[in-house]
Amino acid sequence: MSTPFPFTAVVGQDDLRLALLLNAVSPAVGGVLVRGEKGTAKSTAVRALSALLPEVDVVSGCRFSCDPGSPDPACPDGPHAPGASGSRPARMVELPVGASEDRLVGALDIERALSEGVKAFEPGLLADAHRGILYVDEVNLLHDHLVDLLLDAAAMGASYVEREGVSVRHASRFLLVGTMNPEEGELRPQLLDRFGLTVEVAASREPDQRVEVVRRRLAYDDDPAGFAARWAGEEAAVRQRVVAARALLPSVRLGDGALRQIAATCAAFEVDGMRADIVMARTATALAAWAGRSDVLAEDVRQAALLALPHRRRRNPFDAPGLDEDKLDETLEEFGGQDPGDGDDDPDDPGPGGGPGGQPEPGDAPGGDGDTAARPEAGEGGEPRPSGAGEQSPVRAAEPFRAKVLSVPGLGEGAAGRRSRARTEHGRTTGARRPRGALTKLHLAATVRAAAPHQRARGRSGPGLVVRRDDLRQATREGREGNLVLFVVDASGSMAARQRMGAVKGAVLSLLLDAYQRRDKVGLVTFRGSAAEVALPPTSSVDAAAARLESLPTGGRTPLAAGLLRAHEVLRVERLRDPARRALVVVVTDGRATGGPEPVALASRAARLFAAEQVASVVVDCESGPVRLGLAGRLADELGGTAVTLDELRADSIAGLVKDVQRRAA
């Protein structure tokens, strides 16, 4: 087994280390979601945490890590005889992004359950992680139904496996830690809320600190065991502090004043539900225990708010996480009667490796509330000034609106989502088939029908049904899939009327928001001047697409053919990477084609490539004015898709669009 990087040797990232240690002190806090750019020691810190946790006492031979002092009465391996116990280090179990449901919750042997009436259960990762750490790297890429199972188990402290009336339950209490890079997509708000704390991490911009990071990493790579030995003293000290804080935790007093501050803070920031209040209370209590105090102070409430509230304030994927710290301080002072502090560390609490202070808060990150550094310089009347001849500076998007769904016709087999019809693991049952590999969803009626004719030949003499492997039938189900929505946006001079381009961006933002809610991947191709470019390769991060769209300049000719050909190439490459994911191409243009020899004919030939491959497409017609040429409609015909105006994209104006797309594709 490889030697993990020491937790106390991680440079900086004080908020991350503090959040992890608070959950080690009090697992009831609810886990940690670590958000940040790649290469910021997210995984390193999480993997190092398990070495700081105390050993756990377990019942010998129990696959579910029952505590000998209070064994689970419903344990599938029980009942346990008294006295058979031992101890082992706390486990850190990793959940791979591609794990199956059976791997997560465990597998029940359906054949033995039907024929013998026994619960032959193979534990999953939730059982392995009981009384330890369950770590999900890239949790935002995990399938939604797995995230639901995971967070339900974390909330209830137990895992349930139900298969056709046969059920198994076992205890599953663990410290849940998820890491994610927001550039690759966001979690749904209701799932974000299930994580107790969240931390934003970023690489330091201080040269001295970056040098120290490189120095320690090189030393660890050269001699992992020797490097760990040099930090053994610091590791032991933090481990002892965790044990002491756990022992102190039950005696920490959360007074009425602190509770009032917590309630007032959650109300002031308009967080949904009551989970935030409970998490803040548990976090503030853990902070006091970590500092060796028996009373919760205002500074504990303030730090708890900074860790527990930012991710609960997001209303859509384009909102930046963060808190207004001035508003937080005013609320604490108004409702507390105690000094809420100015963010300085408690002098008696140096924190892990030097204390939790000194890190920039999430609200201070570029792109957060109040950040205007990226805004174009305004001219007279508030309009951004042109950035150069033949090119206009970016136009701010109009307010997004609710759009109805555009779906891909037919029945797909792509990743689970919420846009188009598909054969999926979850959904309504539509039939049965022989299983290919392991049986995951039993179709009971079809299995009984397959086994019934053979009962006499198999010598059945009792009430039980004699079932063989060949009798088992897998249920086929129909649900919804996520698609690749590829936006092809005309940014040429013919589209550059500022009011019209703002409306175009608002429409694309509306479709991006819809793509986020339906769990799609999105891509962005733009064309203007003499060429087209991939502004954003296909990704699950719609906020990244929104940022690229916001900064999109306009001007120049209209190389429509180049834009379509570049989009066709993006689809070809993505088809090799993810052949099961179907695409929906949304072309946003007025249909004009200029620049180069025979631009109209070239655009027509490029459009027919999509029609030949039966790629679902929609053309958003941006033409305006009293005289309209109808070029976007002709382009839609050549694509084999449909055309819709900007006004028709709104939910109350788009009722017949999906039927039109399906009719044209039929």
Side-chain angles (χ1 to χ4, degrees), residues 462-615:
L465 189 68
V466 181
V467 179
R468 303 280 172 82
R469 173 68 187 175
D470 290 343
D471 301 328
L472 299 179
R473 294 295 182 266
Q474 175 86 22
T476 57
R477 302 191 176 193
E478 182 179 312
R480 292 279 168 176
E481 68 177 358
N483 298 118
L484 166 61
V485 182
L486 182 62
F487 294 93
V488 186
V489 179
D490 183 349
S492 64
S494 67
M495 296 277 291
R498 304 197 71 79
Q499 183 176 1
R500 179 156 44 120
M501 197 61 196
V504 168
K505 286 188 175 183
V508 177
L509 280 178
S510 304
L511 293 172
L512 281 172
L513 182 58
D514 181 70
Y516 164 77
Q517 294 168 340
R518 301 187 187 280
R519 313 306 290 166
D520 294 315
K521 292 181 72 174
V522 296
L524 179 62
V525 173
T526 64
F527 57 95
R528 67 184 183 89
S530 59
E533 66 172 341
V534 180
L536 183 71
T539 176
S540 297
S541 177
V542 295
D543 49 345
R548 301 292 173 88
L549 184 73
E550 186 73 20
S551 61
L552 178 66
T554 59
R557 293 183 176 273
T558 311
L560 178 57
L564 294 175
L565 290 174
R566 181 58 63 91
H568 186 268
E569 176 64 15
V570 170
L571 292 183
R572 185 189 69 80
V573 174
E574 191 63 19
R575 203 174 292 125
L576 295 174
R577 294 174 178 167
D578 191 356
R581 188 181 291 270
R582 298 185 294 164
L584 173 65
V585 177
V586 180
V587 185
V588 184
T589 181
D590 56 11
R592 290 181 173 85
T594 60
E598 301 183 348
V600 177
L602 284 175
S604 177
R605 288 200 291 271
R608 287 197 288 270
L609 291 175
F610 291 84
E613 296 176 2
Q614 296 184 332
V615 177

Side-chain angles (χ1 to χ4, degrees), residues 230-254:
R230 291 195 293 274
W231 289 88
E234 288 83 351
E235 293 281 287
V238 174
R239 190 180 301 110
Q240 292 171 4
R241 189 173 176 185
V242 169
V243 173
R246 282 187 173 187
L248 179 61
L249 186 66
S251 61
V252 173
R253 190 180 70 89
L254 182 65

Side-chain angles (χ1 to χ4, degrees), residues 118-203:
V118 297
K119 298 178 181 179
F121 182 69
E122 184 65 29
L125 295 177
L126 290 180
D128 293 342
H130 181 44
R131 305 175 67 199
I133 302 172
L134 183 60
Y135 171 46
V136 189
D137 194 14
E138 306 295 352
V139 64
N140 51 324
L141 303 183
L142 199 65
H143 285 302
D144 284 351
H145 72 281
L146 293 182
V147 177
D148 291 336
L149 291 170
L150 179 67
L151 295 180
D152 283 344
M156 296 186 296
S159 175
Y160 295 84
V161 181
E162 302 285 347
R163 291 288 192 276
E164 304 297 340
V166 181
S167 64
V168 173
R169 173 214 171 272
H170 64 83
S172 183
R173 293 183 295 276
F174 48 82
L175 166 55
L176 176 63
V177 182
T179 58
M180 59 175 283
N181 183 348
E183 294 179 358
E184 297 174 341
E186 287 286 354
L187 281 172
R188 305 196 310 267
Q190 61 267 38
L191 299 183
L192 281 172
D193 184 56
R194 299 295 289 272
F195 283 93
L197 309 180
T198 187
V199 177
E200 295 278 340
V201 296

Side-chain angles (χ1 to χ4, degrees), residues 228-558:
R230 291 195 293 274
W231 289 88
E234 288 83 351
E235 293 281 287
V238 174
R239 190 180 301 110
Q240 292 171 4
R241 189 173 176 185
V242 169
V243 173
R246 282 187 173 187
L248 179 61
L249 186 66
S251 61
V252 173
R253 190 180 70 89
L254 182 65
D256 289 343
L259 277 173
R260 185 173 176 80
Q261 285 182 316
I262 290 170
T265 300
C266 292
F269 286 100
E270 300 180 350
V271 296
D272 296 331
M274 295 297 298
R275 185 175 283 117
D277 303 63
I278 296 170
V279 170
M280 274 190 65
R282 290 171 173 167
T283 304
T285 303
L287 279 162
W290 177 251
R293 288 185 267 100
S294 58
D295 288 292
V296 173
L297 304 181
E299 63 198 56
D300 299 322
V301 176
R302 185 182 193 277
Q303 183 66 57
L306 294 175
L307 292 172
L309 297 187
H311 61 301
R312 293 185 164 87
R313 297 190 60 247
R314 300 194 72 180
R315 293 295 183 266
N316 66 65
F318 311 136
D319 291 340
L323 287 182
D324 183 340
E325 294 193 42
D326 290 338
K327 180 178 178 180
L328 173 61
D329 289 338
E330 290 172 3
T331 303
L332 292 175
E333 186 172 5
E334 178 182 355
F335 289 90
Q338 302 180 59
D339 179 15
D342 56 3
D344 292 338
D345 296 336
D346 182 73
D348 297 326
D349 179 18
Q359 289 293 105
E361 298 298 342
D364 298 331
D369 294 342
D371 176 34
T372 58
R375 302 291 185 195
E377 184 181 356
E380 295 181 4
E383 286 290 331
R385 294 177 180 173
S387 58
E391 178 180 307
Q392 298 182 8
S393 57
V395 181
R396 184 170 298 179
E399 189 69 22
F401 50 82
R402 186 173 64 88
K404 282 192 175 178
V405 60
L406 307 176
S407 64
V408 178
L411 191 64
E413 295 183 346
R418 299 178 179 178
R419 182 171 297 278
S420 305
R421 293 174 56 230
R423 297 183 186 92
T424 61
E425 287 293 320
H426 298 268
R428 65 184 182 91
T429 300
T430 59
R433 60 173 173 81
R434 290 181 182 273
R436 303 178 191 130
L439 178 71
T440 55
K441 299 293 181 182
L442 177 74
H443 194 295
L444 182 58
T447 298
V448 171
R449 285 197 300 268
H454 309 291
Q455 296 305 297
R456 180 175 298 177
R458 293 174 183 174
R460 173 186 169 186
S461 58
L465 189 68
V466 181
V467 179
R468 303 280 172 82
R469 173 68 187 175
D470 290 343
D471 301 328
L472 299 179
R473 294 295 182 266
Q474 175 86 22
T476 57
R477 302 191 176 193
E478 182 179 312
R480 292 279 168 176
E481 68 177 358
N483 298 118
L484 166 61
V485 182
L486 182 62
F487 294 93
V488 186
V489 179
D490 183 349
S492 64
S494 67
M495 296 277 291
R498 304 197 71 79
Q499 183 176 1
R500 179 156 44 120
M501 197 61 196
V504 168
K505 286 188 175 183
V508 177
L509 280 178
S510 304
L511 293 172
L512 281 172
L513 182 58
D514 181 70
Y516 164 77
Q517 294 168 340
R518 301 187 187 280
R519 313 306 290 166
D520 294 315
K521 292 181 72 174
V522 296
L524 179 62
V525 173
T526 64
F527 57 95
R528 67 184 183 89
S530 59
E533 66 172 341
V534 180
L536 183 71
T539 176
S540 297
S541 177
V542 295
D543 49 345
R548 301 292 173 88
L549 184 73
E550 186 73 20
S551 61
L552 178 66
T554 59
R557 293 183 176 273
T558 311

